């Protein structure tokens, strides 16, 4: 099955700085890559996703890039704010007919005011 | 409000005492799934259901059972819980499946098996 690796496991940044979280995947058939944010005491919530026919996608301060050749994708958060502090998970799936979503191990992001 | 609900939110039990964690969604989603979350391991899928009466194993199904008798409900059953099932459990649902649509997660159930 798919194996998703995520780095770093913890990340601390100063408010206003950028944060980058990186993931690699093993199955070249994977073509859907969502990112989830999990706040304390809550379930994960989708914040952005990218499909394999796109190299980059942006949504305000959040962007995701995908390199299918190298099998890695990254989450970029610019102008970080304290409310960005959370655990972030990357995931990978085969888009069509997929029954499973394979998650990375998570990155705990702390934004220092 | 569109949501996935789980009950109970916290549960302490003893080895071997059968328990059920309920999950319900009000979005008429076809797909539902259970995950467990453990430190350093991320989320791992236990079971999923593509529709009523259609269930299948995920990555870590041992020691768990599920049923899907109604579209909105997907209970997780631990027939004989063991300490290695101590974990944080999440139920999730999506319109068609996790590869094509957003998954909506419940708030989680923290289980401690003594």
């Amino acid at each position: 099955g798919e194996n998703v690796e995520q780095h770093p496991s913890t990340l601390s940044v100063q408010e206003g700085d950028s944060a980058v979280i990186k993931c690699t995947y093993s199955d070249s058939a994977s073509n859907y890559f969502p990112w989830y944010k999990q706040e304390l005491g809550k379930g994960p919530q989708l914040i952005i996703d990218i499909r394999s026919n796109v190299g980059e996608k942006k949504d305000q301060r959040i962007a995701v890039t995908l390199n299918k050749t190298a099998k890695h994708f990254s989450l970029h958060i610019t102008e970080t704010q304290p409310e960005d502090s959370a655990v972030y998970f990357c995931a990978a799936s085969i888009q069509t007919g997929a029954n499973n979503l394979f998650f990375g191990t998570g990155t705990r992001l702390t934004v220092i005011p | 409000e569109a949501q996935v609900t789980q009950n109970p939110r916290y549960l302490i039990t003893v080895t071997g005492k059968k328990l059920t964690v309920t999950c319900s969604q009000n979005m008429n989603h076809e797909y539902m799934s259970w995950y467990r979350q453990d430190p350093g391991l991320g989320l791992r899928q236990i079971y999923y259901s593509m529709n009523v009466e259609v269930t299948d194993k995920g990555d870590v199904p041992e020691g768990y059972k599920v049923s899907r008798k109604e579209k909105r409900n997907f209970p997780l059953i631990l027939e004989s819980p063991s300490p290695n099932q101590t974990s944080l459990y999440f139920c999730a649902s999506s319109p068609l499946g996790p590869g094509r649509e957003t998954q909506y997660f419940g708030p989680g159930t923290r289980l401690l098996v003594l």
Side-chain angles (χ1 to χ4, degrees), chain A residues 1-2 31-32 34 36 38 41-46 49 51 87 89 93-106, chain B residues 9 31 33 35 37-38 40-45 48 50 58-59 88 90 96-108:
Chain A
E2 175 68 278
N31 54 14
Y32 174 64
Y36 284 82
Q38 185 178 20
K42 296 183 179 179
Q45 184 174 12
L46 180 77
D49 58 12
R51 302 179 194 274
V87 178
F89 291 97
S93 176
I94 300 171
Q95 185 173 347
T96 303
N99 298 319
N100 201 349
L101 196 58
F102 296 91
F103 284 87
T105 51
Chain B
R9 294 290 312 277
Y31 179 94
S33 182
Y35 294 87
Q37 183 178 7
D38 301 290
L41 296 177
L43 289 100
R44 294 178 292 167
Q45 189 180 53
Y48 65 90
M50 297 299 294
D59 297 322
L88 178 59
F90 289 101
L96 294 173
R100 290 182 280 177
E101 299 279 353
T102 302
Q103 273 200 111
Y104 297 86
F105 283 82

Side-chain angles (χ1 to χ4, degrees), chain B residues 11-19 21 35-39 44 46-47 60-65 76-90 109-114:
Chain B
L11 181 59
I12 301 174
T13 190
V14 295
T15 298
K17 186 176 181 182
K18 181 179 178 180
L19 67 91
V21 183
Y35 294 87
R36 61 177 289 173
Q37 183 178 7
D38 301 290
R44 294 178 292 167
I46 303 170
Y47 268 94
V60 288
E62 294 78 20
Y64 304 95
K65 286 176 58 178
L76 179 69
I77 303 156
L78 284 71
E79 293 270 2
S80 182
S82 63
N84 65 10
Q85 292 179 298
T86 291
S87 188
L88 178 59
Y89 292 87
F90 289 101
T109 295
R110 189 168 291 280
L111 172 65
L112 173 61
V113 183
L114 301 173

Side-chain angles (χ1 to χ4, degrees), chain B residues 60-74:
Chain B
V60 288
E62 294 78 20
Y64 304 95
K65 286 176 58 178
V66 293
S67 69
R68 188 93 181 271
K69 293 183 170 56
E70 305 166 281
K71 198 171 189 178
R72 63 183 293 129
N73 296 323
F74 190 43

Side-chain angles (χ1 to χ4, degrees), chain A residues 29-103:
Chain A
S30 290
N31 54 14
Y32 174 64
F33 307 94
W35 286 88
Y36 284 82
K37 176 183 181 181
Q38 185 178 20
E39 297 176 334
L40 195 62
K42 296 183 179 179
Q45 184 174 12
L46 180 77
I47 54 172
I48 194 168
D49 58 12
I50 190 167
R51 302 179 194 274
S52 62
N53 58 345
V54 175
E56 183 176 3
K57 184 177 179 181
K58 288 183 180 179
D59 183 3
Q60 299 182 337
R61 297 185 295 108
I62 294 173
V64 57
T65 58
L66 170 64
N67 183 329
K68 284 221 75 180
T69 303
K71 289 194 239 169
H72 67 71
F73 56 112
S74 301
L75 178 71
H76 304 254
I77 306 174
T78 59
E79 301 172 21
T80 53
Q81 301 168 3
E83 51 265 40
D84 294 328
S85 295
V87 178
Y88 291 81
F89 291 97
C90 63
S93 176
I94 300 171
Q95 185 173 347
T96 303
N99 298 319
N100 201 349
L101 196 58
F102 296 91
F103 284 87

Side-chain angles (χ1 to χ4, degrees), chain B residues 19-35:
Chain B
L19 67 91
T20 299
V21 183
T22 65
C23 173
S24 183
Q25 50 95 3
N26 62 1
M27 295 169 279
N28 201 37
H29 286 169
E30 306 261 325
Y31 179 94
M32 297 186 74
S33 182
W34 276 102
Y35 294 87

